[in-house]
Amino acid sequence: MKLKEVAERIECELEGDGAIEIRRVWGIERAEPGDLTFYANRKYVSALKATKASAVIHGQRDEVDIAAGVARLRAADPYLAFAKAVELFAPAHHPPAGVHRLADVAPSASIAPDASIAAFVSVGEGARIGAGAVIYPHVTIGPGAVIGADCVIHARVSIREHVVIGARVVIQDGAVIGSDGFGFAHRADGTHQKIPQIGGVVIEDDVEIGANAAIDRPAVGETRIGAGTKIDNLVQIAHGVTVGRDVLLAAQVGIAGSTSVEDRVTLAGQVGVAGHLTVGKGVVATAQSGIPNSVEAGSFISGYPAIDNRDWLKSSAIFRKLPELKKALADLQQRLDALEEKSKR
Amino acid sequence: MKLKEVAERIECELEGDGAIEIRRVWGIERAEPGDLTFYANRKYVSALKATKASAVIHGQRDEVDIAAGVARLRAADPYLAFAKAVELFAPAHHPPAGVHRLADVAPSASIAPDASIAAFVSVGEGARIGAGAVIYPHVTIGPGAVIGADCVIHARVSIREHVVIGARVVIQDGAVIGSDGFGFAHRADGTHQKIPQIGGVVIEDDVEIGANAAIDRPAVGETRIGAGTKIDNLVQIAHGVTVGRDVLLAAQVGIAGSTSVEDRVTLAGQVGVAGHLTVGKGVVATAQSGIPNSVEAGSFISGYPAIDNRDWLKSSAIFRKLPELKKALADLQQRLDALEEKSKR
Amino acid sequence: MKLKEVAERIECELEGDGAIEIRRVWGIERAEPGDLTFYANRKYVSALKATKASAVIHGQRDEVDIAAGVARLRAADPYLAFAKAVELFAPAHHPPAGVHRLADVAPSASIAPDASIAAFVSVGEGARIGAGAVIYPHVTIGPGAVIGADCVIHARVSIREHVVIGARVVIQDGAVIGSDGFGFAHRADGTHQKIPQIGGVVIEDDVEIGANAAIDRPAVGETRIGAGTKIDNLVQIAHGVTVGRDVLLAAQVGIAGSTSVEDRVTLAGQVGVAGHLTVGKGVVATAQSGIPNSVEAGSFISGYPAIDNRDWLKSSAIFRKLPELKKALADLQQRLDALEEKSKR
C-alpha cells in the first residue's frame, strides 16, 4: 500500500514521499525499509533518530528528530493511528462458516448459519450462538449459554451453563466464564458446606477477556462485566462482582466477591481488591496495590494497603531511609541526654 | 414451596405468614415479592429496610428493622441457613450416565456404570472412575489416575498420570492436577537440569479446586490436599506441599515447594507462602500477605513480610505519616541545635 | 539397581555397602529400607539422623551424622546428583508414535513420522511438528505454528498461529502461547480500540513452561523466551517481552509489555515487573517484589517498590517497630519542651 493511501486511511497528515510502498507496521528498533513505525513514548527518542523504517507515525505537534529521508505521518493521537495502521495490514483470518464434523452440538442448540464452530467444540442443550461468531477448537459452551454476534472465542475457553455474552466479545484461550463462586458456609464442626452457585454471569458488548482468566458465578444474583471493558490474562473476578464500562484490568488482578468496580477504572497488574466494596468511577491503581476499602471516584492510588499515590511515593522514599531515620533519632536522644545532664548542673 | 416448609427444611424459626409461596432465593437489593433473601453482613442494614423480598433469613437474636410485611426466618447461623435454602431451590442437573460416543477411553480403564463421561473426554490406560462421578467435556485423565465416587470434574480439567482423587471432590474448569513441579538442578555452566517429577498427588475427600488452579507433583514423595479443603481460582500449589483439612485458600494464593499448611488455615487472596516451612493450625493471613517463615498455630497475620495483624495495622498507619514523622524529627533537630547553641553561651 | 552401579552412574563417591539393592529415590523423612535419599538443605539435619533410607546422597565434604548403617554417596553437587538419580529410576513413558484416529490434523500440516499426536489434538493448516515430539490430548496448534524436535506438549495447551517453538521444549497442561497482547488505544470518547496483535512468539530450545501460564504475542515484532529458561505455573509474559537464556521465573510472576529480562535472572514467586524496562543479567528478586524501574545487572532486590535486599531487610525490621519509633519521637519532644521551658527561665 502506498504511504499516501495509508496516511488517508489512518487520518494522518503526510510529510514526505507518499509514493513509498509500505508492506507492514513494525517496531521502531527493528523496522527496515518498507516498514511503517510509530513513536509515542519518550523512551524511544534515540531509537527514532536511528530507525531504518520508511515512515514514522508521531504526534501532530511533536518536534522530533528522525533519521534522514524517513517520512512522517502526523497524527492527532499517534497510538490510535498506530492501532489503525496495524489493522490495515493485519491478515484477514476467517475460519470457514459451519459446524466442523468433529464438533458436538446438542440438538436443541441454535447456531447462526454463518457462525464458525471448530473441531472438538462442545455446545450444550439450548445454547445459542450468534451471527458471525467464531468458536475455536476445544471450547465448551454449557447448556443455555448465549454467545452474541461476531464474538471470537479462542481455543479451550469454558463458557458455563446459562452465561450470557454480548456482541463482539473476544475471549482468549483457556479463560473460564461462569465457574462456581468460592462460596462456603462454616459448619459448627469446622467443615464447610458448599453454597450452590446458581446465579448468572453477563458479559456485555465489546468486552475482551484474557488467556486463563476466571470469572465466577454467584449463588444468587449475577456477576456482570460492563460494555467495552478489557480484562487481561490470569485475572480473577469473584462471584457477584460488578465491573462497569470501559474498565481496564491488567494481568493477574484479583477482585473479591460482591465488589463493584465503576466505569473507566484502571487497575494495573497484580492489584488485589477486597470484597463488598466500591471502587469509584475513574480510579487508577498502580501495580500490586492492595485495596481493602472503598475508593472515591477519581482517586489515583498505590500501596498495600492502598493510599493516595503521591503520599505513597513520599512514604516509600522514606521507608528506604528508615535506618538513617532511626539513627538520627538515636543521635537526638544522646544529644538530649547530654543537654539534660548539663542543665542539671 | 410454602415458606413454612422452607423454614422447616432449613431449620429456622418462622415469624410471619407461612403460607407465602417462595419461588427462589435472591440478593437483598434485587429481591422481589416471592423471593427469600438473607441478612448476615451489617453493610446491608439499610438494604434490609428497603427489601422487596417476601421473607428474610437472619440471626436468631438479631434485632433488625425490616421492611413492613416481610416474614422472618430466624436462624442459629444465617449464612448456613442461606446455603441450605439455595440448595433447596437449585435445579438438579444430572448429565446422563454412560460414556459419550465422542469420548476416548482406554481399554484397560475402569468406569463405574453410573458415571457420566462427556464428549471429548480422554481417559488413559488403567484409570479408574468411581460411581456417580460426572466428567464434563475436554477433561484429560492420565494413565493410572483414580477419581472417587460422586466427583464432579468440570470441563477442561487435567488430571495427570497416577493422581489419586477421593470422593465428592469438585474441580472447576481448567484446573491442572499433577503437573510437573518446578524442580531443576543448577549445572556448573549456568544451565538447569530438569529433575523428573514422578511423585504422587493425593486429593482427599470433599475437596474443591477452583478454575485454572494448578497443583504440582514432586520429584519424590507426594503433594497432598487434606479432606474438606477448599481452593479458589488460579491458586498455585507447588511440588511436595502438604495442605491439611478444612483449609481455605482464596484466589491467586501461591504456596512454594515442600511447605506444610496445617488444618483450618485460611489464606486470603494473593497471599504468598515461601517453601520448606510450616503454617500452623488455624493461622489466618489477610490478602496479599507474604509469608517468608514458619507461622505459629493460631496466628492472625498480615503484611509483606507478614507480621502480627495488629502490629501491621499500627505500622501501616504510621507508614502513611512518615513524611510528618520525618518533618517532626527535623524540627526537633533544629530546636536542639538552638538549645545547644544557647547552652554554650 | 545395586548401589555401586547407582554411584557410578550419578558420579558419586561410595562409602558403604555397594551391594545394597536400591529400588527408588525417596524423601528423607519417609524413605524406607531400599530407598536412596538425599541431603542438601540444613533444615533436614535431624531427619538425616533418623532416616530409614539405605543410602544418602550428600555433599563431598559434608561432615554430617547419619543413622547407623546407612551408606553415603558423596557428590560434588548433591542436588544435581539427586536429579540424576531420580532420572535413573523414572519410568520411561513413551506414548505411541503416530496420529490418533480422533485427532484433527489439517491436510497441509506436516507431522514427523515418529511424533505422537494424541486424541482430540487439533493441528492447523501449515503447522509443522518435529521428530520425536509428543503432543498430549486437547492441544490446539494453530495454523503455521512450528514445534521443534523432542518437545513434550502436555494436555490442553494452546499454541496459537505462527508461534515458533524450538527443540526439547516442555509445556505443562493448560499453558497458552501466543494469545493476543493486552493492546488497546484510547479513543476520545473513553472507549478503547483493539490493536490487532499479529506479531510473533518464539520459544527457544530447552525452555520449560508451567501449567496455565500465558505468553502473549505483540502487535508488531515478537515476544521471545531464550534458550534454557524455565517458567513456572500461572506466570504472565506480556506482549513484546524478551526473556534471556537460563532465566528462572517462579509461579505467578508477571512481566509487563516490552520489558527485557536478561540472561540468568531469577524472579521468585509473585514478583511483578513493570513495562518497558530492563532487568539486568543475573538479577535476583525475592518473592512478591514489585519492580517499577530498570535494575542493574547482578542486583539482589526485594520489596514493593523493589530496593536492594539488605536495605529492604533493615527497613522492614524498623517498619515493625514504627509504633516504638513514633513513641520515642514523642518522648523526645516532651523532654525538649521541658528543657526549652527551663532554659527560658
Side-chain angles (χ1 to χ4, degrees):
Chain A
M1 198 181 297
K2 298 277 181 246
L3 183 58
K4 188 166 179 297
E5 188 185 345
V6 174
E8 279 163 15
R9 293 181 64 174
I10 68 173
E11 296 174 65
C12 286
E13 196 182 318
L14 169 64
E15 263 176 50
D17 179 7
I20 299 167
E21 189 68 31
I22 297 298
R23 69 193 167 120
R24 64 175 186 183
V25 183
W26 214 242
I28 199 162
E29 286 164 324
R30 298 185 182 198
E32 294 171 20
D35 290 348
L36 170 62
T37 191
F38 75 109
Y39 168 78
N41 183 332
R42 283 177 193 189
K43 286 192 182 176
Y44 297 96
V45 68
S46 64
L48 193 57
K49 289 181 205 167
T51 189
K52 290 176 183 159
S54 292
V56 175
I57 297 167
H58 65 72
Q60 220 149 21
R61 283 163 209 176
D62 284 357
E63 294 306 328
V64 284
D65 281 349
I66 307 184
V70 178
R72 293 164 188 257
L73 296 188
R74 292 184 180 271
D77 180 333
Y79 201 57
L80 194 58
F82 161 68
K84 290 174 183 168
V86 175
E87 185 89 52
L88 272 187
F89 289 89
H93 179 64
H94 287 295
V99 175
H100 193 282
R101 70 183 168 88
L102 289 172
D104 181 52
V105 176
S108 62
S110 141
I111 316 265
D114 64 345
S116 170
I117 311 294
F120 312 126
V121 168
S122 168
V123 182
E125 294 291 351
R128 286 182 284 143
I129 297 179
V134 176
I135 316 293
Y136 281 93
H138 303 115
V139 170
T140 294
I141 296 171
V146 177
I147 314 275
D150 299 315
C151 283
V152 178
I153 314 294
H154 284 280
R156 303 191 310 96
V157 164
S158 277
I159 294 169
R160 289 273 296 267
E161 61 277 11
H162 303 293
V163 166
V164 174
I165 293 181
R168 297 172 305 279
V169 169
V170 176
I171 309 184
Q172 301 293 325
D173 309 59
V176 175
I177 320 295
S179 35
D180 288 6
F182 195 64
F184 301 90
H186 298 269
R187 294 197 199 95
D189 64 355
T191 65
H192 304 99
Q193 165 146 350
K194 181 176 174 76
I195 302 168
Q197 304 288 304
I198 58 176
V201 177
V202 178
I203 311 293
E204 297 181 359
D205 296 346
D206 300 302
V207 166
E208 178 148 351
I209 296 170
N212 287 340
I215 300 179
D216 275 357
R217 69 187 332 123
V220 300
E222 65 180 30
T223 304
R224 179 176 287 265
I225 309 295
T229 284
K230 312 298 183 187
I231 297 175
D232 200 355
N233 300 342
L234 295 163
V235 166
Q236 153 72 356
I237 309 280
H239 46 166
V241 166
T242 303
V243 176
R245 297 171 71 100
D246 300 318
V247 168
L248 296 176
L249 303 178
Q252 297 173 318
V253 160
I255 302 178
S258 303
T259 278
S260 174
V261 175
E262 296 186 344
D263 296 352
R264 301 196 188 173
V265 163
T266 298
L267 304 182
Q270 298 183 335
V271 166
V273 185
H276 296 276
L277 55 82
T278 297
V279 179
K281 196 171 170 179
V283 165
V284 174
T286 61
Q288 289 192 334
S289 298
I291 303 179
N293 299 307
S294 289
V295 183
E296 273 182 42
S299 306
F300 178 26
I301 58 175
S302 300
Y304 160 60
I307 55 177
D308 174 82
N309 169 265
R310 237 169 310 175
D311 292 342
W312 179 74
L313 287 173
K314 283 181 201 158
S315 286
S316 295
I318 299 172
F319 174 84
R320 293 165 201 220
K321 307 222 159 152
L322 280 180
E324 288 173 35
L325 208 121
K326 195 184 170 193
K327 199 180 164 300
L329 192 68
D331 287 350
L332 283 189
Q333 265 164 331
Q334 277 192 328
R335 285 166 60 190
L336 201 53
D337 289 349
L339 220 51
E340 283 175 344
E341 194 57 37
K342 199 171 170 185
S343 78
K344 276 181 206 159
R345 273 178 262 159
Chain B
M1 197 181 297
K2 297 277 182 247
L3 184 58
K4 189 167 178 296
E5 188 184 345
V6 174
E8 279 162 15
R9 293 182 63 174
I10 69 173
E11 296 172 66
C12 285
E13 196 181 319
L14 170 63
E15 262 175 50
D17 179 6
I20 299 166
E21 189 68 32
I22 297 297
R23 65 189 171 123
R24 63 174 187 183
V25 183
W26 213 242
I28 199 162
E29 287 163 323
R30 299 187 182 195
E32 294 171 21
D35 291 348
L36 169 64
T37 190
F38 75 109
Y39 167 80
N41 182 332
R42 283 180 193 185
K43 286 193 183 174
Y44 298 95
V45 68
S46 64
L48 194 57
K49 290 181 203 166
T51 189
K52 290 176 182 158
S54 293
V56 175
I57 298 165
H58 66 71
Q60 219 148 21
R61 284 162 209 177
D62 284 356
E63 295 305 330
V64 285
D65 281 349
I66 307 185
V70 178
R72 293 163 188 258
L73 297 187
R74 291 184 180 271
D77 180 333
Y79 201 58
L80 193 57
F82 161 70
K84 290 175 184 167
V86 174
E87 185 89 50
L88 273 187
F89 289 90
H93 178 65
H94 287 297
V99 175
H100 193 282
R101 68 181 169 88
L102 289 171
D104 181 54
V105 177
S108 61
S110 140
I111 316 264
D114 64 345
S116 170
I117 311 294
F120 312 127
V121 168
S122 169
V123 182
E125 294 290 352
R128 285 181 285 144
I129 297 179
V134 175
I135 315 293
Y136 282 93
H138 304 115
V139 170
T140 295
I141 297 171
V146 177
I147 315 274
D150 299 315
C151 283
V152 177
I153 314 293
H154 284 280
R156 304 191 308 96
V157 164
S158 278
I159 294 168
R160 289 273 297 266
E161 63 276 13
H162 303 293
V163 166
V164 174
I165 293 181
R168 298 172 303 280
V169 169
V170 176
I171 309 184
Q172 301 294 326
D173 309 60
V176 175
I177 320 295
S179 36
D180 289 6
F182 194 65
F184 301 91
H186 298 268
R187 294 197 199 95
D189 64 356
T191 64
H192 304 98
Q193 165 147 351
K194 182 176 174 76
I195 302 168
Q197 304 288 304
I198 57 176
V201 176
V202 178
I203 311 292
E204 298 181 359
D205 296 346
D206 300 301
V207 167
E208 178 148 350
I209 297 171
N212 287 340
I215 300 178
D216 276 356
R217 72 188 330 125
V220 299
E222 66 179 30
T223 304
R224 179 175 289 262
I225 310 294
T229 284
K230 313 297 184 186
I231 298 175
D232 200 354
N233 300 342
L234 295 162
V235 166
Q236 153 73 356
I237 309 280
H239 46 166
V241 166
T242 304
V243 176
R245 296 171 71 100
D246 300 317
V247 168
L248 296 177
L249 303 179
Q252 296 173 320
V253 160
I255 302 177
S258 303
T259 277
S260 174
V261 174
E262 296 185 346
D263 296 352
R264 301 197 188 173
V265 163
T266 297
L267 304 182
Q270 298 183 334
V271 166
V273 184
H276 296 277
L277 56 81
T278 298
V279 179
K281 196 172 171 178
V283 165
V284 174
T286 61
Q288 289 191 333
S289 299
I291 303 179
N293 300 308
S294 289
V295 183
E296 272 183 41
S299 306
F300 177 25
I301 57 173
S302 299
Y304 161 62
I307 56 177
D308 174 81
N309 169 265
R310 237 170 310 175
D311 292 341
W312 179 74
L313 287 173
K314 283 181 202 160
S315 285
S316 294
I318 300 173
F319 174 84
R320 292 165 202 220
K321 308 222 160 154
L322 279 180
E324 287 172 38
L325 209 122
K326 195 184 170 193
K327 201 182 162 297
L329 193 67
D331 287 350
L332 283 189
Q333 265 164 333
Q334 277 193 327
R335 286 166 60 191
L336 201 53
D337 288 351
L339 221 51
E340 283 176 343
E341 194 57 35
K342 200 170 169 183
S343 80
K344 277 181 204 159
R345 272 179 263 159
Chain C
M1 198 181 296
K2 297 276 181 249
L3 183 58
K4 189 166 178 296
E5 188 185 345
V6 175
E8 279 163 15
R9 291 181 64 174
I10 68 172
E11 296 173 64
C12 286
E13 198 181 317
L14 169 64
E15 264 176 47
D17 179 5
I20 299 167
E21 188 70 30
I22 297 297
R23 64 189 172 125
R24 63 174 187 182
V25 181
W26 213 243
I28 198 162
E29 286 163 325
R30 299 187 181 195
E32 293 171 19
D35 291 347
L36 170 63
T37 191
F38 74 109
Y39 167 79
N41 183 332
R42 283 178 195 188
K43 287 193 183 175
Y44 297 95
V45 67
S46 64
L48 194 58
K49 289 180 202 165
T51 189
K52 290 175 182 159
S54 292
V56 174
I57 297 166
H58 65 71
Q60 219 147 21
R61 285 162 208 177
D62 283 357
E63 294 305 330
V64 284
D65 280 350
I66 307 184
V70 178
R72 294 164 187 256
L73 296 187
R74 293 185 179 269
D77 180 334
Y79 201 57
L80 194 58
F82 161 68
K84 289 175 185 167
V86 175
E87 185 88 52
L88 273 187
F89 289 90
H93 179 64
H94 287 295
V99 176
H100 192 283
R101 68 181 170 89
L102 288 172
D104 180 54
V105 177
S108 62
S110 140
I111 317 265
D114 64 345
S116 169
I117 312 292
F120 312 127
V121 168
S122 168
V123 182
E125 294 291 350
R128 284 182 287 143
I129 297 178
V134 176
I135 316 291
Y136 281 93
H138 303 116
V139 170
T140 295
I141 297 171
V146 178
I147 315 275
D150 298 315
C151 283
V152 177
I153 314 293
H154 285 281
R156 303 190 310 95
V157 164
S158 278
I159 295 168
R160 289 273 297 268
E161 62 276 11
H162 304 292
V163 166
V164 175
I165 294 180
R168 297 172 305 279
V169 169
V170 176
I171 308 184
Q172 301 293 326
D173 310 58
V176 175
I177 320 295
S179 36
D180 290 5
F182 195 63
F184 301 91
H186 298 268
R187 292 198 199 95
D189 65 355
T191 64
H192 303 99
Q193 165 147 351
K194 182 177 173 76
I195 302 168
Q197 304 288 304
I198 57 176
V201 176
V202 179
I203 311 293
E204 297 181 358
D205 295 346
D206 300 301
V207 167
E208 178 147 349
I209 297 171
N212 287 340
I215 300 179
D216 276 356
R217 69 188 331 124
V220 299
E222 66 180 29
T223 304
R224 180 176 287 264
I225 309 295
T229 284
K230 312 297 184 186
I231 297 175
D232 200 353
N233 299 343
L234 294 163
V235 166
Q236 153 72 358
I237 309 280
H239 46 165
V241 166
T242 304
V243 176
R245 297 170 72 99
D246 300 317
V247 168
L248 296 176
L249 303 179
Q252 296 173 319
V253 160
I255 302 178
S258 303
T259 278
S260 174
V261 174
E262 297 186 344
D263 296 353
R264 300 195 188 174
V265 163
T266 297
L267 304 182
Q270 298 183 335
V271 166
V273 184
H276 296 276
L277 54 82
T278 297
V279 179
K281 196 171 172 179
V283 165
V284 174
T286 61
Q288 288 192 333
S289 298
I291 303 180
N293 300 307
S294 288
V295 183
E296 272 182 43
S299 305
F300 177 26
I301 58 175
S302 299
Y304 161 60
I307 56 177
D308 174 80
N309 169 265
R310 238 170 308 175
D311 292 341
W312 179 75
L313 287 173
K314 283 182 202 159
S315 285
S316 294
I318 299 173
F319 174 85
R320 293 165 200 221
K321 307 224 159 151
L322 279 180
E324 287 172 37
L325 209 121
K326 195 185 170 192
K327 200 179 164 300
L329 192 67
D331 286 350
L332 283 189
Q333 265 163 333
Q334 277 192 327
R335 287 166 60 190
L336 201 53
D337 288 349
L339 221 51
E340 283 176 343
E341 193 57 36
K342 199 170 171 185
S343 80
K344 276 182 205 159
R345 272 179 262 161

